[in-house]
Amino acid sequence: MPHNAPRHTRALIALLALAGLCLGLSGCSASSSSARPEGATRTVVDAEGTEVEVPVRPERVVALSEPTLDGTLALGVTPIGTISGRGQQGVPHYLEDLAGDIPLLGGVAQPNFDVIANADPDLILVDGTSINNNPEAMEILRRIAPTYYAGYAGGDWRATFTKVADALNLAEEAERVVADYDAAVADASAQLGDYADDTFSVVRWQGGSASLILTELPAGIALTDLGLRRPPGQDRRGRGHSEPVSLENLASIDADHMFFGTLGGSSQGNPDAGGASDVTGAEKALAQAEAVPGFTALDAYRSGNIIAVDGSLWTSTGGPILMQRLVDDVLRSLT
């Protein structure tokens, strides 16, 4: 098959190939488009309204997105496989201490179907950041194991986390995790009163220019939860991912304080170009930004208030672990 064949053609061929593969796998059914789990099961309804029959206690979970990986770990479940973080070669950097040993089964929005099938999962978790408007991919995954769509790109992290917990039959544990986050926010907010009149920008530097993280993404939600204000032009929702800013409009990223991160060389059109996403990567990206006309004229730069941060934490997506670590990061940076 030519490499430049249309995506739907490649997916259909992969589906047909996997259908043959499924004939030899205990988790697949030749007469049904969905694999049936063994042992005790329960029926849950995913974010798209699809009923999915899942194990009562899943033991071999695959998490194919940053939010579903984060959510499973927050609930004390270690997946048997996951995907690399956006723009990164390994698991999301902010989860490396918890997930560094989990095998990779593909990249963001690029699951390796053969490897996933060989992992023999009993539950596959996806969302709109990993499988978006791709019914062929969902059909392939559902021939491997019960596949549950937990939430949408740009959707509220709490809603996605609640769905992940429902699929894992851990709703009560999820309530405790969210309550712990809310308590941490209340405590942190009490320590940030001196910043009530300041504004905060969240910027991802990629491909030689800036993108804004707006209010619907995790970092924006965390700042709102903490009572920290955004500049008027940034106090709005975007389209579920970072919003590119042209160099002519570079002043629109300015604020009293700027959290500045990167995902290395990645961009919206090339999310897996690689490069460091940690604070060291942000510092290198900041040095590049200083060479761009107008950047050093920004108020945040002139005031020395640009804070280099882990881009995998601040400028991508995730779940309750990410949210808690954002709150911790804000406190470390400002108090």
Side-chain angles (χ1 to χ4, degrees):
M1 177 181 58
H3 178 70
N4 60 353
R7 178 183 60 80
H8 67 273
T9 300
R10 297 198 303 270
L12 179 59
I13 291 173
L15 174 59
L16 293 173
L18 189 63
L21 173 64
C22 280
L23 293 175
L25 293 176
S26 60
C28 296
S29 168
S31 61
S32 172
S33 62
S34 297
R36 298 186 182 277
E38 298 178 356
T41 65
R42 50 193 286 269
T43 299
V44 292
V45 179
D46 72 9
E48 293 187 313
T50 302
E51 291 188 350
V52 185
E53 188 178 356
V54 301
V56 170
R57 292 296 179 192
E59 296 180 352
R60 298 186 60 79
V61 179
V62 162
L64 295 183
S65 71
E66 291 149 314
T68 59
L69 173 61
D70 186 312
T72 56
L73 293 170
L75 292 165
V77 176
T78 301
I80 62 166
T82 189
I83 46 84
S84 58
R86 190 173 303 273
Q88 300 158 73
Q89 300 302 312
V91 298
H93 182 263
Y94 82 92
L95 290 174
E96 198 168 34
D97 59 327
L98 301 174
D101 294 330
I102 298 176
L104 295 179
L105 308 179
V108 173
Q110 295 176 327
N112 187 320
F113 300 118
D114 289 337
V115 176
I116 294 169
N118 288 333
D120 192 26
D122 60 8
L123 176 63
I124 299 172
L125 298 173
V126 301
D127 65 17
T129 68
S130 57
I131 305 293
N132 186 32
N133 297 324
N134 193 340
E136 296 100 334
M138 289 296 292
E139 176 69 10
I140 294 171
L141 292 172
R142 283 178 170 145
R143 284 188 175 272
I144 298 172
T147 300
Y148 184 93
Y149 195 92
Y152 300 95
D156 181 67
W157 71 270
R158 294 172 188 256
T160 299
F161 178 55
T162 297
K163 283 295 188 182
V164 169
D166 187 25
L168 296 173
N169 203 11
L170 295 172
E172 291 185 4
E173 289 82 347
E175 291 177 1
R176 287 194 287 270
V177 170
V178 173
D180 287 345
Y181 169 75
D182 289 338
V185 166
D187 179 68
S189 298
Q191 301 180 55
L192 297 172
D194 290 345
Y195 295 92
D197 296 327
D198 292 2
T199 58
F200 294 81
S201 178
V202 185
V203 171
R204 186 171 89 184
W205 193 264
Q206 56 186 62
S209 62
S211 290
L212 284 170
I213 305 299
L214 300 175
T215 60
E216 83 283 1
L217 291 176
I221 294 171
L223 293 182
T224 299
D225 288 349
L226 291 167
L228 299 178
R229 297 192 305 121
R230 306 298 298 273
Q234 298 178 31
D235 193 17
R236 58 184 173 85
R237 292 179 62 84
R239 294 174 293 173
H241 56 73
S242 57
E243 184 170 296
V245 175
S246 67
L247 296 181
E248 292 81 4
N249 295 315
L250 195 61
S252 67
I253 73 172
D254 206 1
D256 295 318
H257 307 265
M258 182 187 300
F259 293 103
F260 183 97
T262 186
L263 292 180
S266 71
S267 65
Q268 184 64 30
N270 185 15
D272 298 311
S277 67
D278 57 9
V279 174
T280 299
E283 291 169 345
K284 291 180 179 178
L286 180 57
Q288 297 170 1
E290 289 172 341
V292 172
F295 188 87
T296 57
L298 298 175
D299 289 340
Y301 184 88
R302 292 166 61 88
S303 301
N305 289 333
I306 294 184
I307 304 162
V309 294
D310 182 342
S312 74
L313 180 68
W314 276 87
T315 75
S316 194
T317 188
I321 297 174
L322 179 142
M323 298 302 297
Q324 180 63 65
R325 292 184 174 186
L326 283 170
V327 171
D328 294 343
D329 237 15
V330 170
L331 282 179
R332 279 195 298 268
S333 301
L334 300 182
T335 62

